[in-house]
Amino acid sequence: MPLAVAARGGDALQIGLVSAALYAWWIVSVPLSVITDRLGIGPTLRIFAPLRFVGLAVIAIGVATEAEWGYGVLLTGVLLYGFADVVVDSASGTLPAAVMKSEDYDAAYSSLYAVTRTADLVLGPVLGAGLFLLNLWAPFALAVLLLAVSYGTLFSFFGDQRTQAAPADGTEPGWFSATFAGLRHVVRTPLIRGIAITLIGVAAASEVTAVVVAPYVRAAAESDYWPQILGGVNAIAGIAAISAALAATVIAGRLGRTRTMIGAATLGVASPVLMSLGPSWTFVALALVAAAVGEAIWVPLAQASMMKATPHHLLGRTRAAVMFIIWGTIPATSLMAGALAVTIGLVWTLIVTALFAALLCAFGFPALLSGGRGERELRRTRTRLPRGR
């Protein structure tokens, strides 16, 4: 969408407004996630997923309109798409937990992450760039078609009993308690609390690395082709991320999920440290690969762990609570990275970021280990119970 705005003559302010409109709904993702738990995963997807089609269609109309009011139409479509995307994310992100056995969560979320990254890093950019050559609205038309195929593929799950809302037990809490039940579950559950704290540090390290890498290599580049070289390095990091996501289940099976997650988080913390060693392409490549691989292993295992530690009636709100924590800190992290880079320099910004991420991991790892031990003990207790208990 930013490319479409730029292509139709939009300035930096208009591009910024479009990006802000797309992610603005994440601010209220926690209240919106109540929809998923109240209606059920299947009904939520059946009702709200088509709104993304409508949003994309409105965006395509705005892009195709050369008149000044076309930008307003485009912005309206972005707001509609962003709203639907936040609601649908809570439902689609918890769908595997509703229809699969808990022992298959790791493989399911690892596969989904690999597919998503392939679409984000390979298919999306290639198809989008090619279709922009035909017409500005063409990528959005293809997106509508692909979402329609996705909707049809998932249609059988919409009425599946496993994706319906959990039955009420007669003790339904008030609106405020129900809305923030997911946040309370995150705080009260050691495993999920450890995941959330650690994830803030890992996300901060990854975001700062992404923010400073371009000016970092530009300042020391000896070639005018540094953007192309950086693009190639990012592509290598993307391939490494996809491979790591596919291997995450195997690695966790051999080392243990908690140890694997701690190792993946450590890779994320090491990313800014590696880059701070110097702007050579070797260090930059190692830093970007470390960040990509750490995220690719961490995210699916963390998602699976959260779903295992969350009751069915809180799945949507718990996922939204964690996503709110992450999406809420990333904009602040980006602004702080830019401010620090201007005042103390790029290298010290990377070092401060690594220290910040390491500090959060120091608080998150103990909770993660404690929660992991509790989960294993609960499983052992369940296996020792006589049948029928």
Side-chain angles (χ1 to χ4, degrees):
M1 284 180 274
L3 287 175
V5 175
R8 71 186 303 276
D11 56 21
L13 177 60
Q14 290 179 321
I15 294 174
L17 285 173
V18 166
S19 297
L22 181 62
Y23 294 108
W25 290 105
W26 283 103
I27 298 173
V28 290
S29 60
V30 172
L32 288 177
S33 66
V34 177
I35 296 172
T36 297
D37 290 331
R38 289 288 176 85
L39 293 182
I41 297 169
T44 299
L45 289 172
R46 182 179 63 241
I47 296 170
F48 288 93
L51 289 179
R52 296 200 295 184
F53 307 170
V54 178
L56 284 171
V58 174
I59 291 170
I61 294 172
V63 170
T65 303
E66 296 183 0
E68 188 64 30
W69 56 266
Y71 177 75
V73 174
L74 188 153
L75 194 60
T76 301
V78 171
L79 284 168
L80 180 59
Y81 182 88
F83 167 77
D85 209 39
V86 170
V87 176
V88 169
D89 179 84
S90 295
S92 61
T94 56
L95 180 60
V99 300
M100 302 184 73
K101 297 179 180 178
S102 59
E103 56 264 31
D104 296 328
Y105 286 1
D106 288 344
Y109 281 105
S110 296
S111 299
L112 286 171
Y113 184 88
V115 170
T116 301
R117 298 306 286 169
T118 300
D120 288 344
L121 300 173
V122 181
L123 297 178
V126 171
L127 290 174
L131 290 171
F132 267 133
L133 295 175
L134 298 177
N135 202 297
L136 289 180
W137 53 262
F140 303 102
L142 177 63
V144 171
L145 176 62
L146 293 176
L147 282 176
V149 172
S150 173
Y151 189 82
T153 302
L154 294 174
F155 194 81
S156 62
F157 289 105
F158 298 159
D160 192 302
Q161 186 59 39
R162 296 169 294 179
T163 68
Q164 306 308 299
D169 59 4
T171 59
E172 191 69 20
W175 177 87
F176 185 86
S177 295
T179 299
F180 295 98
L183 278 172
R184 286 199 304 273
H185 181 62
V186 171
V187 173
R188 293 174 179 175
T189 308
L191 178 64
I192 304 179
R193 185 170 68 246
I195 288 173
I197 294 172
T198 305
L199 193 51
I200 293 173
V202 173
S206 176
E207 180 66 14
V208 171
T209 300
V211 168
V212 307
V213 63
Y216 191 55
V217 299
R218 181 183 59 195
E222 297 179 355
S223 171
D224 291 336
Y225 297 102
W226 67 266
Q228 289 74 28
I229 299 174
L230 182 58
V233 172
N234 278 318
I236 293 172
I239 294 171
I242 295 168
S243 302
L246 293 173
T249 304
V250 176
I251 298 172
R254 293 186 177 181
L255 300 180
R257 181 191 289 112
T258 304
R259 288 186 188 137
T260 303
M261 290 173 65
I262 289 176
T266 304
L267 275 178
V269 175
S271 175
V273 176
L274 288 169
M275 190 173 292
S276 69
L277 296 177
S280 73
W281 287 113
T282 300
F283 291 136
V284 170
L286 288 173
L288 294 179
V289 169
V293 170
E295 178 185 334
I297 296 175
W298 169 271
V299 170
L301 295 181
Q303 286 180 328
S305 297
M306 285 190 297
M307 296 300 101
K308 288 180 180 181
T310 303
H312 187 275
H313 69 282
L314 283 177
L315 286 175
R317 281 170 284 181
T318 300
R319 174 180 169 80
V322 175
M323 295 301 292
F324 169 77
I325 292 170
I326 303 309
W327 285 108
T329 56
I330 284 180
T333 301
S334 299
L335 291 174
M336 289 178 63
L340 285 174
V342 173
T343 55
I344 65 176
L346 296 173
V347 173
W348 278 107
T349 298
L350 292 167
I351 295 173
V352 169
T353 299
L355 292 174
F356 172 75
L359 179 63
L360 287 175
C361 287
F363 284 101
F365 286 171
L368 195 60
L369 288 167
S370 173
R373 284 194 296 268
E375 183 183 290
R376 289 191 296 272
E377 181 59 32
L378 180 60
R379 284 201 300 268
R380 284 195 294 267
T381 302
R382 286 173 175 170
T383 58
R384 287 196 297 265
L385 285 174
R387 184 171 297 179
R389 292 288 181 87

Short mmCIF file of all heavy atoms in Angstrom, two decimals, residues 121-176:
data_model
loop_
_atom_site.label_atom_id
_atom_site.label_comp_id
_atom_site.label_asym_id
_atom_site.label_seq_id
_atom_site.Cartn_x
_atom_site.Cartn_y
_atom_site.Cartn_z
N LEU A 121 8.32 -12.71 2.09
CA LEU A 121 9.67 -12.40 1.61
C LEU A 121 9.91 -12.75 0.15
O LEU A 121 10.82 -12.21 -0.47
CB LEU A 121 10.71 -13.13 2.48
CG LEU A 121 10.69 -12.79 3.98
CD1 LEU A 121 11.64 -13.69 4.73
CD2 LEU A 121 11.04 -11.33 4.20
N VAL A 122 9.12 -13.69 -0.39
CA VAL A 122 9.38 -14.18 -1.75
C VAL A 122 8.20 -13.89 -2.67
O VAL A 122 8.27 -13.06 -3.58
CB VAL A 122 9.72 -15.68 -1.74
CG1 VAL A 122 10.02 -16.16 -3.16
CG2 VAL A 122 10.89 -15.98 -0.82
N LEU A 123 7.09 -14.58 -2.43
CA LEU A 123 5.97 -14.50 -3.36
C LEU A 123 5.34 -13.11 -3.41
O LEU A 123 5.06 -12.58 -4.49
CB LEU A 123 4.91 -15.54 -2.98
CG LEU A 123 5.35 -17.01 -3.06
CD1 LEU A 123 4.22 -17.92 -2.61
CD2 LEU A 123 5.79 -17.34 -4.48
N GLY A 124 5.12 -12.53 -2.23
CA GLY A 124 4.46 -11.21 -2.20
C GLY A 124 5.23 -10.14 -2.95
O GLY A 124 4.69 -9.48 -3.84
N PRO A 125 6.52 -9.92 -2.62
CA PRO A 125 7.29 -8.90 -3.34
C PRO A 125 7.39 -9.15 -4.84
O PRO A 125 7.29 -8.22 -5.64
CB PRO A 125 8.66 -8.96 -2.67
CG PRO A 125 8.40 -9.48 -1.30
CD PRO A 125 7.28 -10.46 -1.47
N VAL A 126 7.60 -10.41 -5.23
CA VAL A 126 7.76 -10.72 -6.65
C VAL A 126 6.45 -10.48 -7.40
O VAL A 126 6.43 -9.80 -8.44
CB VAL A 126 8.23 -12.18 -6.83
CG1 VAL A 126 8.18 -12.58 -8.30
CG2 VAL A 126 9.64 -12.35 -6.30
N LEU A 127 5.36 -11.03 -6.89
CA LEU A 127 4.07 -10.85 -7.56
C LEU A 127 3.63 -9.40 -7.53
O LEU A 127 3.11 -8.87 -8.52
CB LEU A 127 3.01 -11.73 -6.89
CG LEU A 127 3.14 -13.24 -7.09
CD1 LEU A 127 2.13 -13.99 -6.25
CD2 LEU A 127 2.97 -13.60 -8.56
N GLY A 128 3.82 -8.73 -6.38
CA GLY A 128 3.41 -7.33 -6.28
C GLY A 128 4.16 -6.45 -7.26
O GLY A 128 3.56 -5.63 -7.96
N ALA A 129 5.48 -6.61 -7.34
CA ALA A 129 6.28 -5.80 -8.25
C ALA A 129 5.89 -6.06 -9.70
O ALA A 129 5.80 -5.12 -10.52
CB ALA A 129 7.76 -6.09 -8.05
N GLY A 130 5.65 -7.33 -10.03
CA GLY A 130 5.27 -7.66 -11.41
C GLY A 130 3.92 -7.09 -11.79
O GLY A 130 3.75 -6.53 -12.89
N LEU A 131 2.95 -7.19 -10.87
CA LEU A 131 1.60 -6.71 -11.18
C LEU A 131 1.52 -5.19 -11.21
O LEU A 131 0.68 -4.62 -11.92
CB LEU A 131 0.61 -7.27 -10.16
CG LEU A 131 0.35 -8.78 -10.28
CD1 LEU A 131 -0.47 -9.27 -9.11
CD2 LEU A 131 -0.37 -9.08 -11.60
N PHE A 132 2.38 -4.51 -10.44
CA PHE A 132 2.41 -3.05 -10.50
C PHE A 132 2.78 -2.55 -11.90
O PHE A 132 2.42 -1.44 -12.30
CB PHE A 132 3.40 -2.49 -9.48
CG PHE A 132 2.78 -2.13 -8.16
CD1 PHE A 132 3.36 -2.54 -6.97
CD2 PHE A 132 1.60 -1.40 -8.10
CE1 PHE A 132 2.80 -2.22 -5.75
CE2 PHE A 132 1.02 -1.08 -6.88
CZ PHE A 132 1.63 -1.49 -5.71
N LEU A 133 3.53 -3.37 -12.64
CA LEU A 133 3.89 -3.01 -14.01
C LEU A 133 2.67 -2.99 -14.91
O LEU A 133 2.61 -2.25 -15.89
CB LEU A 133 4.94 -3.97 -14.56
CG LEU A 133 6.31 -3.95 -13.86
CD1 LEU A 133 7.21 -5.04 -14.43
CD2 LEU A 133 6.97 -2.58 -14.02
N LEU A 134 1.67 -3.83 -14.57
CA LEU A 134 0.45 -3.89 -15.38
C LEU A 134 -0.50 -2.75 -15.01
O LEU A 134 -0.98 -2.01 -15.87
CB LEU A 134 -0.26 -5.23 -15.16
CG LEU A 134 0.52 -6.48 -15.56
CD1 LEU A 134 -0.29 -7.73 -15.22
CD2 LEU A 134 0.84 -6.45 -17.07
N ASN A 135 -0.75 -2.62 -13.70
CA ASN A 135 -1.66 -1.58 -13.23
C ASN A 135 -1.51 -1.45 -11.72
O ASN A 135 -1.22 -2.44 -11.04
CB ASN A 135 -3.11 -1.93 -13.58
CG ASN A 135 -3.99 -0.70 -13.61
OD1 ASN A 135 -4.16 -0.03 -12.59
ND2 ASN A 135 -4.53 -0.38 -14.77
N LEU A 136 -1.73 -0.25 -11.20
CA LEU A 136 -1.56 -0.03 -9.77
C LEU A 136 -2.54 -0.84 -8.92
O LEU A 136 -2.25 -1.22 -7.79
CB LEU A 136 -1.69 1.46 -9.43
CG LEU A 136 -0.54 2.37 -9.88
CD1 LEU A 136 -0.84 3.81 -9.45
CD2 LEU A 136 0.78 1.91 -9.30
N TRP A 137 -3.74 -1.11 -9.47
CA TRP A 137 -4.73 -1.82 -8.68
C TRP A 137 -4.61 -3.34 -8.82
O TRP A 137 -5.25 -4.09 -8.07
CB TRP A 137 -6.15 -1.39 -9.07
CG TRP A 137 -6.46 -1.48 -10.54
CD1 TRP A 137 -6.42 -0.46 -11.44
CD2 TRP A 137 -6.84 -2.65 -11.27
NE1 TRP A 137 -6.76 -0.90 -12.70
CE2 TRP A 137 -7.02 -2.25 -12.62
CE3 TRP A 137 -7.05 -3.97 -10.95
CZ2 TRP A 137 -7.40 -3.15 -13.62
CZ3 TRP A 137 -7.42 -4.87 -11.94
CH2 TRP A 137 -7.59 -4.46 -13.26
N ALA A 138 -3.78 -3.81 -9.73
CA ALA A 138 -3.70 -5.24 -10.01
C ALA A 138 -3.26 -6.08 -8.79
O ALA A 138 -3.84 -7.15 -8.55
CB ALA A 138 -2.76 -5.49 -11.19
N PRO A 139 -2.26 -5.65 -8.01
CA PRO A 139 -1.88 -6.47 -6.84
C PRO A 139 -3.03 -6.65 -5.85
O PRO A 139 -3.16 -7.72 -5.24
CB PRO A 139 -0.73 -5.67 -6.20
CG PRO A 139 -0.18 -4.85 -7.30
CD PRO A 139 -1.35 -4.50 -8.15
N PHE A 140 -3.87 -5.63 -5.70
CA PHE A 140 -4.98 -5.73 -4.76
C PHE A 140 -6.07 -6.65 -5.29
O PHE A 140 -6.73 -7.35 -4.52
CB PHE A 140 -5.52 -4.34 -4.46
CG PHE A 140 -4.46 -3.40 -3.93
CD1 PHE A 140 -3.88 -2.45 -4.76
CD2 PHE A 140 -4.02 -3.50 -2.63
CE1 PHE A 140 -2.89 -1.60 -4.29
CE2 PHE A 140 -3.03 -2.65 -2.15
CZ PHE A 140 -2.46 -1.71 -2.99
N ALA A 141 -6.25 -6.65 -6.62
CA ALA A 141 -7.21 -7.57 -7.22
C ALA A 141 -6.77 -9.02 -7.00
O ALA A 141 -7.58 -9.90 -6.68
CB ALA A 141 -7.36 -7.27 -8.72
N LEU A 142 -5.47 -9.28 -7.17
CA LEU A 142 -4.95 -10.62 -6.92
C LEU A 142 -5.11 -11.00 -5.45
O LEU A 142 -5.45 -12.14 -5.11
CB LEU A 142 -3.48 -10.71 -7.33
CG LEU A 142 -2.80 -12.07 -7.04
CD1 LEU A 142 -3.46 -13.18 -7.85
CD2 LEU A 142 -1.30 -12.00 -7.34
N ALA A 143 -4.87 -10.04 -4.55
CA ALA A 143 -5.02 -10.30 -3.12
C ALA A 143 -6.45 -10.70 -2.78
O ALA A 143 -6.67 -11.61 -1.97
CB ALA A 143 -4.60 -9.07 -2.32
N VAL A 144 -7.43 -10.03 -3.39
CA VAL A 144 -8.83 -10.40 -3.17
C VAL A 144 -9.07 -11.84 -3.62
O VAL A 144 -9.72 -12.63 -2.92
CB VAL A 144 -9.77 -9.44 -3.93
CG1 VAL A 144 -11.21 -9.96 -3.88
CG2 VAL A 144 -9.70 -8.05 -3.34
N LEU A 145 -8.52 -12.21 -4.78
CA LEU A 145 -8.70 -13.57 -5.30
C LEU A 145 -8.07 -14.59 -4.35
O LEU A 145 -8.68 -15.63 -4.04
CB LEU A 145 -8.07 -13.67 -6.69
CG LEU A 145 -8.09 -15.06 -7.34
CD1 LEU A 145 -9.53 -15.53 -7.53
CD2 LEU A 145 -7.36 -15.03 -8.68
N LEU A 146 -6.86 -14.31 -3.88
CA LEU A 146 -6.18 -15.26 -3.00
C LEU A 146 -6.90 -15.38 -1.65
O LEU A 146 -7.00 -16.48 -1.08
CB LEU A 146 -4.73 -14.81 -2.77
CG LEU A 146 -3.82 -14.88 -4.00
CD1 LEU A 146 -2.44 -14.32 -3.68
CD2 LEU A 146 -3.70 -16.31 -4.51
N LEU A 147 -7.41 -14.27 -1.13
CA LEU A 147 -8.17 -14.33 0.12
C LEU A 147 -9.47 -15.12 -0.06
O LEU A 147 -9.91 -15.82 0.86
CB LEU A 147 -8.48 -12.92 0.62
CG LEU A 147 -7.34 -12.19 1.32
CD1 LEU A 147 -7.76 -10.77 1.68
CD2 LEU A 147 -6.90 -12.93 2.57
N ALA A 148 -10.08 -15.00 -1.25
CA ALA A 148 -11.30 -15.77 -1.53
C ALA A 148 -11.00 -17.27 -1.54
O ALA A 148 -11.77 -18.08 -1.01
CB ALA A 148 -11.89 -15.33 -2.87
N VAL A 149 -9.86 -17.64 -2.11
CA VAL A 149 -9.45 -19.05 -2.10
C VAL A 149 -9.21 -19.52 -0.67
O VAL A 149 -9.62 -20.61 -0.27
CB VAL A 149 -8.17 -19.24 -2.96
CG1 VAL A 149 -7.62 -20.66 -2.78
CG2 VAL A 149 -8.47 -18.96 -4.42
N SER A 150 -8.56 -18.67 0.13
CA SER A 150 -8.31 -19.00 1.53
C SER A 150 -9.62 -19.18 2.29
O SER A 150 -9.78 -20.12 3.08
CB SER A 150 -7.47 -17.89 2.18
OG SER A 150 -7.35 -18.09 3.56
N TYR A 151 -10.55 -18.28 2.05
CA TYR A 151 -11.86 -18.34 2.71
C TYR A 151 -12.57 -19.65 2.36
O TYR A 151 -13.14 -20.32 3.23
CB TYR A 151 -12.70 -17.15 2.29
CG TYR A 151 -14.00 -16.98 3.05
CD1 TYR A 151 -14.02 -16.36 4.29
CD2 TYR A 151 -15.20 -17.42 2.50
CE1 TYR A 151 -15.21 -16.19 4.98
CE2 TYR A 151 -16.40 -17.25 3.18
CZ TYR A 151 -16.39 -16.65 4.42
OH TYR A 151 -17.58 -16.48 5.11
N GLY A 152 -12.52 -20.02 1.09
CA GLY A 152 -13.15 -21.26 0.67
C GLY A 152 -12.48 -22.49 1.28
O GLY A 152 -13.14 -23.46 1.65
N THR A 153 -11.16 -22.43 1.40
CA THR A 153 -10.42 -23.55 1.98
C THR A 153 -10.78 -23.77 3.45
O THR A 153 -10.89 -24.91 3.92
CB THR A 153 -8.90 -23.31 1.86
OG1 THR A 153 -8.56 -23.11 0.49
CG2 THR A 153 -8.11 -24.48 2.41
N LEU A 154 -10.98 -22.67 4.18
CA LEU A 154 -11.27 -22.76 5.61
C LEU A 154 -12.77 -22.89 5.91
O LEU A 154 -13.14 -23.05 7.07
CB LEU A 154 -10.73 -21.53 6.33
CG LEU A 154 -9.21 -21.35 6.37
CD1 LEU A 154 -8.85 -20.01 6.99
CD2 LEU A 154 -8.57 -22.47 7.17
N PHE A 155 -13.61 -22.83 4.88
CA PHE A 155 -15.05 -22.74 5.09
C PHE A 155 -15.58 -23.90 5.93
O PHE A 155 -16.48 -23.72 6.76
CB PHE A 155 -15.79 -22.68 3.75
CG PHE A 155 -17.23 -22.26 3.88
CD1 PHE A 155 -17.56 -20.93 4.01
CD2 PHE A 155 -18.24 -23.21 3.91
CE1 PHE A 155 -18.88 -20.53 4.14
CE2 PHE A 155 -19.56 -22.83 4.05
CZ PHE A 155 -19.89 -21.49 4.16
N SER A 156 -15.03 -25.09 5.73
CA SER A 156 -15.53 -26.25 6.46
C SER A 156 -15.30 -26.14 7.96
O SER A 156 -15.99 -26.76 8.76
CB SER A 156 -14.85 -27.53 5.94
OG SER A 156 -13.45 -27.47 6.14
N PHE A 157 -14.32 -25.32 8.37
CA PHE A 157 -14.04 -25.14 9.79
C PHE A 157 -15.00 -24.17 10.47
O PHE A 157 -15.12 -24.17 11.69
CB PHE A 157 -12.61 -24.64 10.00
CG PHE A 157 -11.56 -25.66 9.71
CD1 PHE A 157 -10.79 -25.59 8.56
CD2 PHE A 157 -11.33 -26.71 10.58
CE1 PHE A 157 -9.83 -26.52 8.28
CE2 PHE A 157 -10.35 -27.66 10.32
CZ PHE A 157 -9.60 -27.57 9.16
N PHE A 158 -15.67 -23.33 9.68
CA PHE A 158 -16.51 -22.30 10.27
C PHE A 158 -17.66 -22.88 11.08
O PHE A 158 -18.10 -22.29 12.07
CB PHE A 158 -17.06 -21.36 9.20
CG PHE A 158 -15.99 -20.61 8.44
CD1 PHE A 158 -16.26 -20.07 7.19
CD2 PHE A 158 -14.73 -20.45 8.97
CE1 PHE A 158 -15.27 -19.37 6.49
CE2 PHE A 158 -13.74 -19.77 8.28
CZ PHE A 158 -14.02 -19.23 7.04
N GLY A 159 -18.17 -24.03 10.64
CA GLY A 159 -19.26 -24.67 11.36
C GLY A 159 -18.81 -25.83 12.22
O GLY A 159 -19.65 -26.49 12.86
N ASP A 160 -17.52 -26.10 12.25
CA ASP A 160 -16.98 -27.20 13.05
C ASP A 160 -17.24 -26.93 14.53
O ASP A 160 -17.02 -25.82 15.02
CB ASP A 160 -15.47 -27.32 12.80
CG ASP A 160 -14.89 -28.61 13.37
OD1 ASP A 160 -15.03 -28.83 14.59
OD2 ASP A 160 -14.29 -29.38 12.60
N GLN A 161 -17.70 -27.96 15.23
CA GLN A 161 -18.04 -27.79 16.63
C GLN A 161 -16.85 -27.34 17.46
O GLN A 161 -17.00 -26.61 18.45
CB GLN A 161 -18.58 -29.12 17.19
CG GLN A 161 -19.12 -29.03 18.62
CD GLN A 161 -20.26 -28.02 18.74
OE1 GLN A 161 -21.11 -27.92 17.85
NE2 GLN A 161 -20.27 -27.26 19.83
N ARG A 162 -15.64 -27.74 17.05
CA ARG A 162 -14.44 -27.38 17.80
C ARG A 162 -14.11 -25.89 17.71
O ARG A 162 -13.34 -25.38 18.52
CB ARG A 162 -13.24 -28.20 17.31
CG ARG A 162 -13.37 -29.69 17.54
CD ARG A 162 -12.30 -30.44 16.79
NE ARG A 162 -12.46 -30.32 15.35
CZ ARG A 162 -11.64 -30.87 14.44
NH1 ARG A 162 -10.59 -31.57 14.86
NH2 ARG A 162 -11.87 -30.71 13.16
N THR A 163 -14.65 -25.20 16.72
CA THR A 163 -14.35 -23.78 16.54
C THR A 163 -15.48 -22.87 17.04
O THR A 163 -15.44 -21.66 16.81
CB THR A 163 -14.09 -23.46 15.05
OG1 THR A 163 -15.31 -23.61 14.31
CG2 THR A 163 -13.03 -24.38 14.48
N GLN A 164 -16.45 -23.44 17.74
CA GLN A 164 -17.54 -22.64 18.26
C GLN A 164 -17.16 -22.10 19.64
O GLN A 164 -16.20 -22.54 20.26
CB GLN A 164 -18.82 -23.49 18.36
CG GLN A 164 -19.21 -24.16 17.06
CD GLN A 164 -19.29 -23.20 15.88
OE1 GLN A 164 -20.08 -22.27 15.88
NE2 GLN A 164 -18.46 -23.42 14.87
N ALA A 165 -17.91 -21.12 20.10
CA ALA A 165 -17.63 -20.51 21.40
C ALA A 165 -17.81 -21.52 22.51
O ALA A 165 -18.66 -22.42 22.43
CB ALA A 165 -18.55 -19.32 21.62
N ALA A 166 -16.97 -21.40 23.55
CA ALA A 166 -17.11 -22.27 24.71
C ALA A 166 -18.45 -21.99 25.38
O ALA A 166 -18.87 -20.84 25.50
CB ALA A 166 -15.97 -22.03 25.69
N PRO A 167 -19.17 -23.03 25.84
CA PRO A 167 -20.49 -22.81 26.46
C PRO A 167 -20.37 -22.00 27.74
O PRO A 167 -19.41 -22.13 28.50
CB PRO A 167 -20.97 -24.23 26.75
CG PRO A 167 -19.73 -25.07 26.78
CD PRO A 167 -18.78 -24.44 25.81
N ALA A 168 -21.34 -21.12 27.94
CA ALA A 168 -21.34 -20.29 29.15
C ALA A 168 -21.63 -21.16 30.37
O ALA A 168 -22.42 -22.10 30.32
CB ALA A 168 -22.40 -19.19 29.02
N ASP A 169 -20.96 -20.84 31.49
CA ASP A 169 -21.14 -21.62 32.72
C ASP A 169 -22.02 -20.91 33.74
O ASP A 169 -22.11 -21.34 34.90
CB ASP A 169 -19.78 -21.95 33.35
CG ASP A 169 -18.98 -20.69 33.69
OD1 ASP A 169 -19.52 -19.58 33.49
OD2 ASP A 169 -17.83 -20.82 34.13
N GLY A 170 -22.63 -19.80 33.32
CA GLY A 170 -23.51 -19.09 34.24
C GLY A 170 -22.81 -18.09 35.12
O GLY A 170 -23.46 -17.42 35.94
N THR A 171 -21.50 -17.97 35.00
CA THR A 171 -20.74 -17.02 35.84
C THR A 171 -20.02 -16.02 34.95
O THR A 171 -18.86 -15.71 35.18
CB THR A 171 -19.73 -17.78 36.72
OG1 THR A 171 -18.83 -18.52 35.86
CG2 THR A 171 -20.43 -18.74 37.66
N GLU A 172 -20.67 -15.56 33.91
CA GLU A 172 -20.07 -14.62 32.96
C GLU A 172 -19.69 -13.33 33.67
O GLU A 172 -20.53 -12.69 34.31
CB GLU A 172 -21.05 -14.33 31.83
CG GLU A 172 -20.43 -13.59 30.66
CD GLU A 172 -19.44 -14.42 29.89
OE1 GLU A 172 -19.48 -15.66 29.98
OE2 GLU A 172 -18.59 -13.83 29.19
N PRO A 173 -18.41 -12.89 33.59
CA PRO A 173 -17.99 -11.66 34.27
C PRO A 173 -18.49 -10.42 33.55
O PRO A 173 -19.03 -10.50 32.44
CB PRO A 173 -16.46 -11.75 34.21
CG PRO A 173 -16.18 -12.55 32.98
CD PRO A 173 -17.31 -13.55 32.89
N GLY A 174 -18.30 -9.27 34.19
CA GLY A 174 -18.69 -8.02 33.57
C GLY A 174 -17.81 -7.69 32.38
O GLY A 174 -16.82 -8.37 32.11
N TRP A 175 -18.20 -6.58 31.68
CA TRP A 175 -17.49 -6.23 30.44
C TRP A 175 -16.01 -6.01 30.68
O TRP A 175 -15.18 -6.52 29.95
CB TRP A 175 -18.11 -4.97 29.83
CG TRP A 175 -17.39 -4.52 28.60
CD1 TRP A 175 -17.62 -4.93 27.32
CD2 TRP A 175 -16.28 -3.60 28.54
NE1 TRP A 175 -16.73 -4.33 26.46
CE2 TRP A 175 -15.90 -3.50 27.17
CE3 TRP A 175 -15.59 -2.85 29.48
CZ2 TRP A 175 -14.86 -2.68 26.74
CZ3 TRP A 175 -14.54 -2.04 29.05
CH2 TRP A 175 -14.18 -1.96 27.70
N PHE A 176 -15.66 -5.25 31.71
CA PHE A 176 -14.25 -4.93 31.96
C PHE A 176 -13.46 -6.19 32.27
O PHE A 176 -12.38 -6.41 31.71
CB PHE A 176 -14.14 -3.94 33.12
CG PHE A 176 -12.74 -3.45 33.37
CD1 PHE A 176 -12.24 -2.36 32.66
CD2 PHE A 176 -11.91 -4.09 34.28
CE1 PHE A 176 -10.93 -1.91 32.88
CE2 PHE A 176 -10.62 -3.65 34.50
CZ PHE A 176 -10.12 -2.57 33.80
#
